[in-house]
Amino acid sequence: MKHEAVCYTAEEVLKRGKSDIPSELLSGNSLVYSSPATLAYNSPGAEGFGVKRAGLSVPESVMLIVAPGCCGRNTSLISSMPEYKNRFFYLEMSEPDLVTGRHLNKIPDAIGEVLTFLRDNGKKIPRVIMICITCVDALLGTDMDRVCRKAEDELEGSEFEGVKVRPCYMYALTREGRRPPMVHVRQTIYSLLEPMEKDPRSVNIIGGFAPLENTELIEYLKLAGIRNIRQISTCKTYEEFLQMASANFNIVIDPEVRAAAEDMNKNLNIPYVELTRVYSTDKISSQYKALASVTGIDIIDSEEKAEADEAIARLKEAFPDLTVNIGECANANAFELALSLTRMGFKVDEIYSVLAPENFVYVKNLAQLSPDTKIYCNMEPTMLYYKISQSKAHVTVGKDAKFYCPDIPNVAWNQDTRPFGYQGVRDLMNKIFEALTEAKA
């Protein structure tokens, strides 16, 4: 084994084609390097809005984590956050449980203990209990839907009747599957909604677990007469969350919620339109035109587009030869961002990201503009031998990129709140400008 990190240039990847992406750039094809740079990515519940925080985005919910001690341990940091106090509970699995699956019979009693504890301590009884399970039950083949139905049935006739019990799968093993954990948890959340009368002036923005950050999209919808713009993160109560079922249409801002949007279209008769987070102002403008056409609302975006283009121009003027390295632990698709930055006139030296086939379209265009851009996979074991000395970057974007290039100015760009549209472009350009200016001072 050569002691150097494996990478491919964009040109090399293009020559091989979408059907022959190098196995080193894919996940699930070989040993996984659990890089400290990408802990949040490698474990669906370890950091950020993973399965656990996502499941608890439902107002008035608590979570019972059913897992061996090692799997539940990484929740302790999240539990210390004020908003999650008294919302995480644990049912620890013993070694015999791991072999026999007998822990499943303990879940109804554990739920009863949780509810009794909350009642006896003067806490509000939750409307939903999320049961979070781990790879152990993936290997056991546990039917968690049945387990949750049984647990819910056992609450009937008790003082806790009506509390919903739903599964959350923290299955790292299914990350490359048809329903990865973050897709499934979104389906679980929105499956709680029940049909209700439609409000033509109500819209949901779905996909994120934190509110969009000062984006112009909200203002466009308000100007179009939309009175209720709901995001799960802005729902204060369970009843308010249930009102999301009255939406006239959904706006999907993350492809991981597409399956849930399909479910809502089928079960609640709520159609959806999809807006992708991109960093090309021309693409953003095209998306808003498409949204206006489909929904019949007026969107005039010239002012916001000009502001974003001005931020790009200011960065370009101050740092005309800027070279960037981009990671995947950021509020961006690393390949789309690399292509957009290249089209802006900047250079992208390295990308650290799994290359999913759906991202090949970005690499295809990137290879024509920047054929020498190197692509590394965070999960490739040879990343142990990555050498920062080979990088030509002036700045890095993404929390993981900082790990690989600790001496280069970094814009983590992985905040909980989601940048979107022109606001996202403008703020990212300003953050890069500030990081480079501070480094020069």
Side-chain angles (χ1 to χ4, degrees):
M1 179 177 171
K2 295 173 66 176
H3 287 189
E4 61 182 60
V6 171
C7 71
Y8 292 83
T9 66
E11 184 177 39
E12 289 171 335
V13 174
L14 176 60
K15 284 181 178 177
R16 295 178 61 132
K18 184 179 179 180
S19 61
D20 188 27
I21 294 174
S23 61
E24 294 93 338
L25 301 184
L26 299 168
S27 68
N29 279 17
S30 60
L31 284 175
V32 171
Y33 170 45
S34 189
S35 166
T38 58
L39 180 60
Y41 181 82
N42 289 339
S43 170
E47 193 179 328
F49 273 99
V51 170
K52 296 171 188 171
R53 290 182 70 194
L56 287 182
S57 63
V58 177
E60 301 180 51
S61 65
V62 300
M63 179 170 284
L64 176 66
I65 298 174
V66 182
C70 56
C71 295
R73 194 171 297 130
N74 58 27
T75 310
S76 59
L77 184 61
I78 306 175
S79 301
S80 66
M81 300 166 72
E83 61 268 39
Y84 296 109
K85 186 178 181 181
N86 288 324
R87 296 192 71 190
F88 281 113
F89 298 87
Y90 301 87
L91 173 59
E92 184 175 355
M93 297 172 65
S94 64
E95 289 189 9
D97 290 337
L98 296 174
V99 177
T100 63
R102 69 180 186 182
H103 60 287
L104 300 173
N105 295 324
K106 302 175 185 176
I107 289 177
D109 288 343
I111 290 173
E113 284 187 39
V114 169
L115 295 171
T116 301
F117 167 83
L118 292 170
R119 181 202 62 195
D120 292 349
N121 285 275
K123 306 298 180 185
K124 193 170 183 178
I125 300 302
R127 302 292 296 272
V128 182
I129 293 185
M130 295 289 187
I131 308 296
C132 183
I133 57 174
T134 67
C135 295
V136 171
D137 280 287
L139 295 170
L140 289 172
T142 301
D143 182 352
M144 273 309 294
D145 287 326
R146 186 188 66 81
V147 172
C148 288
R149 280 197 304 272
K150 181 172 183 289
E152 200 172 288
D153 290 345
E154 292 198 16
L155 294 175
E156 288 186 7
S158 75
E159 61 182 305
F160 304 122
E161 182 174 344
V163 174
K164 307 289 186 185
V165 182
R166 294 291 185 274
C168 284
Y169 301 94
M170 198 171 62
Y171 288 174
L173 290 172
T174 61
R175 185 177 44 217
E176 290 82 23
R178 190 173 58 86
R179 293 176 72 192
M182 293 310 297
V183 170
H184 195 284
V185 73
R186 286 172 165 90
Q187 289 184 281
T188 297
I189 289 168
Y190 292 109
S191 72
L192 290 162
L193 300 178
E194 298 174 359
M196 65 170 52
E197 185 178 349
K198 293 290 175 287
D199 177 356
R201 293 192 175 185
S202 290
V203 170
N204 299 326
I205 298 176
I206 60 173
F209 298 107
L212 290 181
E213 188 178 43
N214 302 319
T215 175
E216 66 279 350
L217 174 60
I218 302 290
E219 296 306 315
Y220 295 157
L221 294 173
K222 288 179 178 176
L223 288 172
I226 304 297
R227 292 181 302 186
N228 299 306
I229 304 167
R230 294 189 176 90
Q231 304 177 67
I232 192 169
S233 54
T234 60
C235 295
K236 303 299 183 188
T237 66
Y238 188 70
E239 292 302 325
E240 189 177 345
F241 162 70
L242 292 179
Q243 289 297 314
M244 294 184 79
S246 68
N248 192 33
F249 64 93
N250 286 327
I251 295 178
V252 169
I253 60 168
D254 190 314
E256 289 187 329
V257 79
R258 196 179 295 142
E262 293 281 1
D263 291 344
M264 293 168 76
N265 188 18
K266 178 181 177 182
N267 302 324
L268 303 174
N269 195 28
I270 303 177
Y272 70 93
V273 293
E274 192 164 343
L275 298 180
T276 304
R277 180 177 53 205
V278 294
Y279 287 85
S280 160
T281 55
D282 288 338
K283 294 287 185 186
I284 294 168
S285 181
S286 298
Q287 287 198 128
Y288 282 141
K289 284 185 174 66
L291 176 65
S293 174
V294 169
T295 60
I297 63 178
D298 293 326
I299 293 180
I300 301 173
D301 63 350
S302 53
E303 183 176 342
E304 291 76 18
K305 185 176 187 298
E307 289 176 355
D309 286 335
E310 285 174 15
I312 295 170
R314 184 179 74 137
L315 181 63
K316 183 69 179 170
E317 182 178 2
F319 304 98
D321 299 319
L322 180 64
T323 300
V324 187
N325 288 350
I326 303 171
E328 63 187 338
C329 295
N331 277 313
N333 177 311
F335 299 99
E336 189 283 327
L337 178 58
L339 178 60
S340 291
L341 288 173
T342 303
R343 284 175 168 164
M344 291 174 195
F346 302 116
K347 298 174 184 174
V348 175
D349 187 34
E350 298 178 349
I351 300 171
Y352 317 108
S353 179
V354 172
L355 177 54
E358 59 266 28
N359 290 322
F360 187 82
V361 62
Y362 299 122
V363 176
K364 179 180 177 181
N365 290 297
L366 181 65
Q368 296 170 2
L369 300 172
S370 180
D372 296 329
T373 294
K374 296 182 282 294
I375 302 172
Y376 294 87
C377 177
N378 270 319
M379 302 172 73
E380 163 59 32
T382 61
M383 286 302 282
L384 282 166
Y385 304 111
Y386 174 83
K387 294 178 181 177
I388 183 178
S389 59
Q390 297 177 351
S391 174
K392 303 171 184 173
H394 303 113
V395 66
T396 59
V397 176
K399 185 179 178 181
D400 49 339
K402 181 177 177 58
F403 175 83
Y404 295 117
C405 309
D407 300 325
I408 297 175
N410 171 257
V411 176
W413 203 240
N414 69 332
Q415 65 274 29
D416 275 350
T417 51
R418 286 193 163 215
F420 190 83
Y422 298 122
Q423 166 262 330
V425 176
R426 188 183 64 239
D427 289 356
L428 178 58
M429 296 300 112
N430 290 340
K431 286 289 185 184
I432 295 175
F433 183 90
E434 291 167 9
L436 290 167
T437 302
E438 185 177 334
K440 283 178 65 178

